[in-house]
Amino acid sequence: MLSRTAENLYWACRYIERAEMLARLIDVGYRIAITKKTSKYNNEWDSILSSSGVKEDFLEKYSEINQRNVEKYLCFDKNNMSSIVNCIIHTRENLRVIRTSITREVWDVINSAFQEIENFKPSNYRSSKLPNFLRWIIQRTSMLKGAIVSTQLTDDIYDFMNLGYYIERADNTIRILDVKYYILLSKDNKNIENNYQWETLLRSIAAYIQYRRIYGVNVDPRKICHFLIFNKSNPRSLLYCAENINNHVNNLCKYYNQKSLAYSSTSKLLAKYSDVTIDEIFKTGTHEFLLDYMKDIDSLNLSISSSYFDGGYNASKNYT
Amino acid sequence: MPAYNEMLNNNDSVRRPYGKVAKWIDSMHGNIFEEKHNEAKDLLKRIGITFSIYKQNDLNERLIPFDMVPRIFTSKEWDILEKGVIQRTKAINLFINDIYNSGEILKDKIIPPELIYKNKAYEPSMVGFTPPKKIFSHITGSDIVRTSNNSFMILEDNCRTPSGVSYMMQNREIMMRMFPSLFLENSISPIDDYPIFLRNMLSSVAPKKCNNNEPVIVILTPGSYNSAYYEHSFLADLMGIELVEGRDLFVEKDIVYMRTVRGRQKVDVLYRRIDDQYLDPLFFDRNSIIGVPGIMSAYRNGNITICNAPGSGIADDKAIYTYVPDMIKFYLGEKPILKNVKTWKCGNSQDLKFVKENIKDLVIKEVHGSGGYGMLIGQYSTKNQINLFLKKILKNPENFIAQPTLSLSTCPTYIKNSLEQRHVDFRPFCLQGDSIKLCKGGLTRVALKENSLIVNSSQGGGVKDTWILQPKDNYAK
């Protein structure tokens, strides 16, 4: 397989996962805006911008952080590289140039999503249409995943796609957790609002009901951190992502019959975090823990890139 | 003189090879033809056969209009075409090898040397170089027109990167899916082995130094915004080889490598679909970002074969075209089987005089033009247009040639709910490596505008499936 093909597969899935995460985040913002439950801390949109990592760029364009501006910027702005519309376009473009690597079913889903979003006119857009739009995005991203799982061969193509999915998801979970945690620890927040904030966090990762099933109805930072960091059955937990990343890298090594830099990075990552406990995290500080984890994910991303996307161009990194 | 009608005799009776097709057409009453026409369109869209037009940051993917009525050649007709094209391609390859090496045809004063050495398509960096099997133009697509029952003429030779073969294959695919019974009733030569021939041909021209048991072959595309990208990926897919862009390749110590997930992999044969000038920024256009720096040096050192060879374009230049019959006599000692179209060179003062006097009846073409651009059809032009074009000719006469307005044959074509006669041409694809072969089919292009003689897809032309009947079926009832 060409290095470029692997890179396209990887990024296609990073972008689609990002689109889904954004849709969920914005949905949470919308829910808070219509319930107006939080009177004091009312700028959920601020935390959404921080979670999605585009707050600085946003403030260069808009002076006020309000629903309409954030919606426009995160959903439709073509100048925002990570807007939902751009994520769909990037996914489709990354898959278009390697169409022969994906099944017709996979192509159909992303291509129709692209055609529909291209026909979507932001000028006719009203905020009341937001929930429909977000639901539509989440449906399309789920359909794409379904098409991949049910029609693609489980070969190296599948591994690169999944690496994209899980790296992006780990990255998103860290961001959401970190931003929320930061807000929850600030003094202005009363307990009842805290609880509400935690609930919105669970909603944003599509795990509101699932959490209750495992941990009961009371939200508690410790339980939530456990759920998002260590719970192996939660498909959005960091451990779940790390294990899957490790599996797919192992598959590639077996498939190509050669070890890679990515192999040692992911083994190290798993080993590093498998012995950590919630108590230790709370002792050293959740923010510090998450920052450290983020760095590890970043360097894993780099080692995947130099192991598979470089293609022996830099001979020193060639593992043949 | 009316154009030769491929399907009907002068008395409107149906020509024998078209017998079953005529019945098939008659069987589609009412709206069925229209329904089928739309069904074909949908099918094309679904399969994704488009050519891309990229402008203002928007990618337009357009469909080439497909016409359902096939164009048919009998095996006798095909015999002539096949022998003629093979003969011509052999001579052309001998010619290119000759002019980059000893130049015998120039020494014998058959072609004036200035026509070669002053030609933009002449590539000085190829001088003294002999590619494997002495083949330069591995894939040739000649444009052929028919003007009467037994007159086929070569309009143009395409020796650089002829395109259209994917349409040939997809047209057939669509016809077989939609009208399987036609293929049971008629014995039509299959064309689906083209990718196998192509791959075998490319393997056969691997460099002598190639150590890989099975040569590593790749297709080089300018990228997904190129109008023929679909064809590039289609061919790569069917040959089971990688489709690469310039950035997927790099050269180290005169060896060309491809960047793969397993690391670097040596490449032996490059089927390039980009023009000479973009191939290597160290050698040609310095600004090219779609090429591979250093590939020409690797090529000249015999570490990779480039198909078609750089500099092959000298043979399909419109000024050189007039000498192809002489090449056939010179290199093969044979009489040309397919005729050239009579051509006047405006650079020659006697010819220019003739062109000025007869411009109404001529087609004028730019020597280096292609795609139906930069030409004038006297018969369909206004006085004003003619005068403007004449001025252009007189400014730089060498840049123009003139040919009689040919009456291209016509084929019934579906236009707005009825069948009408439209002009067609034909492009077969010839492969030359250690052996030479013409695919038993080709691309029939049809001018969809009434009376139009311009069949190019960039000018609104369409395509048809082309059948080569097998001998026993020629006169089936």
Side-chain angles (χ1 to χ4, degrees):
Chain A
M1 187 195 293
L2 281 182
S3 297
R4 182 166 51 84
T5 305
E7 202 170 359
N8 285 326
L9 290 163
Y10 176 79
W11 280 102
C13 292
R14 285 203 67 161
Y15 279 118
I16 203 72
E17 180 71 17
R18 192 170 297 175
E20 184 184 333
M21 186 274 295
L22 277 169
R24 292 190 190 284
L25 269 179
I26 298 165
D27 193 38
V28 169
Y30 180 77
R31 178 172 280 274
I32 292 176
I34 54 171
T35 54
K36 297 196 175 71
K37 210 169 181 178
T38 51
S39 49
K40 280 200 181 146
Y41 180 77
N42 61 3
N43 211 342
E44 181 65 19
W45 298 112
D46 191 317
S47 101
I48 286 169
L49 281 175
S50 305
S51 301
S52 48
V54 292
K55 190 170 164 184
E56 272 176 38
D57 297 332
F58 174 88
L59 288 174
E60 270 176 28
K61 193 161 178 176
Y62 298 99
S63 50
E64 198 186 341
I65 300 181
N66 59 25
Q67 178 179 350
R68 176 138 187 92
N69 289 346
V70 174
E71 252 173 60
K72 271 205 303 209
Y73 191 70
L74 291 184
C75 293
F76 309 110
D77 197 327
K78 287 207 172 171
N79 294 319
N80 170 10
M81 279 301 285
S82 292
S83 66
I84 290 181
V85 168
N86 272 340
C87 284
I88 299 289
I89 293 173
H90 295 324
T91 301
R92 193 245 188 192
E93 191 53 28
N94 271 291
L95 293 178
R96 187 178 74 87
V97 295
I98 51 158
R99 253 190 76 176
T100 53
S101 300
I102 56 170
T103 59
R104 180 176 288 171
E105 285 78 2
V106 171
W107 173 249
D108 258 2
V109 176
I110 190 61
N111 195 39
S112 330
F114 168 80
Q115 310 288 0
E116 287 168 53
I117 215 165
E118 283 282 285
N119 292 333
F120 187 86
K121 296 268 179 305
S123 51
N124 302 337
Y125 174 77
R126 254 167 264 108
S127 275
S128 57
K129 292 181 183 167
L130 185 64
N132 282 339
F133 175 73
L134 298 175
R135 204 173 307 133
W136 178 78
I137 288 291
I138 290 167
Q139 267 172 5
R140 295 301 128 150
T141 56
S142 305
M143 278 167 76
L144 188 65
K145 257 177 245 172
I148 290 170
V149 170
S150 62
T151 65
Q152 288 284 151
L153 296 178
T154 53
D155 55 5
D156 48 347
I157 289 174
Y158 189 72
D159 290 321
F160 283 115
M161 289 178 126
N162 275 297
L163 283 177
Y165 266 123
Y166 289 115
I167 292 264
E168 181 70 23
R169 190 180 295 172
D171 184 281
N172 292 340
T173 299
I174 295 171
R175 282 172 196 279
I176 291 173
L177 194 54
D178 193 35
V179 169
K180 282 291 171 188
Y181 212 85
Y182 179 73
I183 294 161
L184 291 169
L185 289 185
S186 66
K187 290 165 197 160
D188 308 344
N189 285 301
K190 288 176 188 165
N191 268 342
I192 183 148
E193 277 165 13
N194 268 358
N195 280 353
Y196 194 70
Q197 287 286 333
W198 285 118
E199 270 178 29
T200 61
L201 180 151
L202 290 172
R203 275 184 197 280
S204 69
I205 59 156
Y208 177 57
I209 303 292
Q210 285 81 349
Y211 172 87
R212 290 187 176 186
R213 190 180 297 159
I214 306 169
Y215 300 89
V217 289
N218 291 328
V219 280
D220 156 27
R222 194 172 285 259
K223 286 179 184 168
I224 292 211
C225 282
H226 184 268
F227 185 52
L228 288 184
I229 297 171
F230 296 113
N231 192 316
K232 277 194 190 184
S233 62
N234 173 10
R236 290 177 191 270
S237 77
L238 296 184
L239 187 58
Y240 184 94
C241 292
E243 281 188 341
N244 275 282
I245 292 165
N246 189 54
N247 289 344
H248 287 292
V249 169
N250 279 346
N251 288 350
L252 287 175
C253 293
K254 271 185 232 153
Y255 205 80
Y256 299 144
N257 204 15
Q258 59 193 29
K259 294 255 160 73
S260 64
L261 187 62
Y263 176 81
S264 45
S265 303
T266 158
S267 317
K268 265 187 232 157
L269 181 85
L270 255 191
K272 180 173 173 186
Y273 293 107
S274 60
D275 294 336
V276 187
T277 63
I278 282 286
D279 288 335
E280 281 169 340
I281 292 174
F282 274 58
K283 216 188 224 166
T284 49
T286 316
H287 179 62
E288 286 68 23
F289 170 81
L290 292 173
L291 273 187
D292 198 30
Y293 212 119
M294 183 72 104
K295 259 187 225 147
D296 288 335
I297 293 288
D298 279 349
S299 75
L300 186 53
N301 179 46
L302 286 178
S303 61
I304 289 173
S305 167
S306 69
S307 299
Y308 301 111
F309 306 156
D310 178 74
Y313 183 66
N314 299 302
S316 60
K317 288 175 190 163
N318 189 20
Y319 282 79
T320 43
Chain B
M1 193 183 70
Y4 177 78
N5 187 319
E6 299 269 349
M7 185 163 136
L8 302 177
N9 289 308
N10 288 341
N11 61 3
D12 274 358
S13 60
V14 176
R15 294 185 198 278
R16 284 211 292 213
Y18 279 86
K20 284 167 183 162
V21 166
K23 277 189 191 147
W24 165 72
I25 292 173
D26 287 340
S27 73
M28 289 194 279
H29 321 278
N31 292 331
I32 299 180
F33 223 100
E34 193 185 352
E35 277 168 23
K36 288 285 177 190
H37 182 77
N38 291 333
E39 195 184 320
K41 237 186 192 168
D42 285 347
L43 207 52
L44 279 160
K45 229 183 218 165
R46 269 224 312 280
I47 307 177
I49 309 165
T50 56
F51 67 110
S52 322
I53 294 167
Y54 190 67
K55 54 181 173 193
Q56 292 161 358
N57 289 325
D58 272 321
L59 184 70
N60 281 305
E61 285 162 13
R62 287 196 203 165
L63 287 173
I64 288 197
F66 168 72
D67 187 74
M68 292 183 293
V69 183
R71 200 267 182 88
I72 303 176
F73 289 109
T74 63
S75 71
K76 269 192 189 158
E77 290 164 346
W78 183 250
D79 236 29
I80 298 167
L81 287 176
E82 188 175 39
K83 287 199 180 107
V85 171
I86 285 179
Q87 176 193 55
R88 202 169 166 103
T89 307
K90 275 186 185 164
I92 282 174
N93 268 310
L94 288 163
F95 161 76
I96 308 174
N97 193 50
D98 183 26
I99 55 148
Y100 287 119
N101 288 284
S102 53
E104 303 295 331
I105 200 163
L106 307 179
K107 284 180 204 155
D108 277 30
K109 300 200 162 54
I110 291 172
I111 297 178
E114 65 272 16
L115 211 55
I116 304 290
Y117 298 132
K118 283 187 175 174
N119 200 308
K120 273 191 217 157
Y122 181 74
E123 184 46 61
S125 63
M126 292 299 286
V127 172
F129 182 75
T130 307
K133 308 284 192 295
K134 298 187 179 173
I135 304 299
F136 282 74
S137 183
H138 308 83
I139 302 141
T140 316
S142 317
D143 291 342
I144 299 176
V145 297
R146 183 179 208 175
T147 51
S148 74
N149 189 26
N150 48 19
S151 163
F152 293 100
M153 285 192 252
I154 300 274
L155 196 58
E156 191 171 298
D157 305 286
N158 294 290
C159 302
R160 300 166 208 221
T161 48
S163 64
V165 81
S166 60
Y167 297 115
M168 167 185 88
M169 298 193 65
Q170 292 291 4
N171 292 345
R172 174 64 53 86
E173 191 62 33
I174 298 225
M175 286 301 281
M176 288 181 72
R177 274 204 218 178
M178 290 184 55
F179 308 108
S181 62
L182 279 178
F183 291 82
L184 290 172
E185 288 167 10
N186 297 279
S187 309
I188 303 158
S189 306
I191 51 166
D192 46 6
D193 41 11
Y194 178 82
I196 301 168
F197 293 145
L198 180 58
R199 181 166 179 162
N200 289 343
M201 181 280 287
L202 292 168
S203 289
S204 79
V205 293
K208 276 193 195 128
K209 288 190 202 171
C210 167
N211 303 322
N212 291 324
N213 224 352
E214 177 83 11
V216 174
I217 308 165
V218 300
I219 298 185
L220 177 64
T221 173
S224 63
Y225 294 127
N226 183 270
S227 62
Y229 182 74
Y230 171 76
E231 175 155 311
H232 307 159
S233 69
F234 176 89
L235 287 174
D237 221 17
L238 287 176
M239 285 196 281
I241 62 176
E242 292 289 358
L243 176 63
V244 304
E245 294 180 18
R247 57 193 159 132
D248 298 319
L249 301 178
F250 66 97
V251 181
E252 204 177 279
K253 296 195 178 111
D254 282 337
I255 306 280
V256 182
Y257 295 100
M258 153 167 70
R259 301 168 66 170
T260 83
V261 289
R262 292 171 203 247
R264 55 176 67 179
Q265 186 177 13
K266 183 176 178 287
V267 176
D268 303 305
V269 181
L270 182 79
Y271 174 20
R272 50 82 178 238
R273 296 292 300 252
I274 71 178
D275 294 342
D276 284 3
Q277 62 178 123
Y278 303 115
L279 202 50
D280 184 346
L282 302 181
F283 234 84
F284 305 112
D285 186 342
R286 284 190 303 149
N287 298 317
S288 169
I289 52 167
I290 55 173
V292 185
I295 198 167
M296 278 302 284
S297 168
Y299 179 54
R300 292 206 42 128
N301 278 297
N303 289 324
I304 191 168
T305 302
I306 298 177
C307 302
N308 293 349
S312 300
I314 186 71
D316 65 19
D317 186 84
K318 290 192 179 76
I320 302 294
Y321 161 84
T322 51
Y323 293 97
V324 177
D326 300 316
M327 291 175 200
I328 294 171
K329 282 174 219 148
F330 183 78
Y331 295 112
L332 304 173
E334 295 172 8
K335 212 176 134 216
I337 298 167
L338 293 172
K339 278 179 280 178
N340 261 21
V341 177
K342 168 81 185 147
T343 302
W344 292 271
K345 289 166 238 160
C346 298
N348 174 323
S349 59
Q350 260 184 326
D351 282 8
L352 183 62
K353 188 166 170 272
F354 178 86
V355 169
K356 279 200 273 187
E357 285 163 7
N358 297 283
I359 196 155
K360 264 262 164 223
D361 304 317
L362 297 173
V363 176
I364 323 277
K365 293 176 180 173
E366 265 184 80
V367 172
H368 305 295
S370 69
Y373 293 105
M375 61 186 278
L376 176 100
I377 302 178
Q379 199 180 322
Y380 300 122
S381 302
T382 63
K383 240 191 183 149
N384 209 5
Q385 284 170 324
I386 290 177
N387 285 335
L388 278 174
F389 210 86
L390 261 175
K391 268 188 201 157
K392 249 167 78 180
I393 298 174
L394 293 176
K395 233 188 218 166
N396 191 2
E398 262 117 56
N399 213 12
F400 294 88
I401 54 143
Q403 294 173 333
T405 314
L406 294 175
S407 166
L408 306 192
S409 61
T410 66
C411 211
T413 302
Y414 180 79
I415 308 278
K416 283 187 199 152
N417 304 327
S418 69
L419 285 180
E420 292 179 21
Q421 296 299 326
R422 289 293 184 268
H423 295 290
V424 294
D425 84 343
F426 178 60
R427 175 182 287 184
F429 297 91
C430 189
L431 299 176
Q432 187 169 19
D434 58 358
S435 61
I436 185 163
K437 194 166 179 88
L438 192 69
C439 178
K440 272 195 192 279
L443 184 67
T444 292
R445 299 186 296 179
V446 53
L448 295 175
K449 281 181 219 149
E450 198 172 1
N451 294 326
S452 170
L453 295 170
I454 304 181
V455 294
N456 307 68
S457 57
S458 51
Q459 311 267 314
V463 292
K464 283 169 170 289
D465 188 20
T466 309
W467 297 356
I468 316 302
L469 296 183
Q470 287 167 359
K472 60 178 164 59
D473 204 47
N474 274 345
Y475 299 108
K477 290 195 178 107

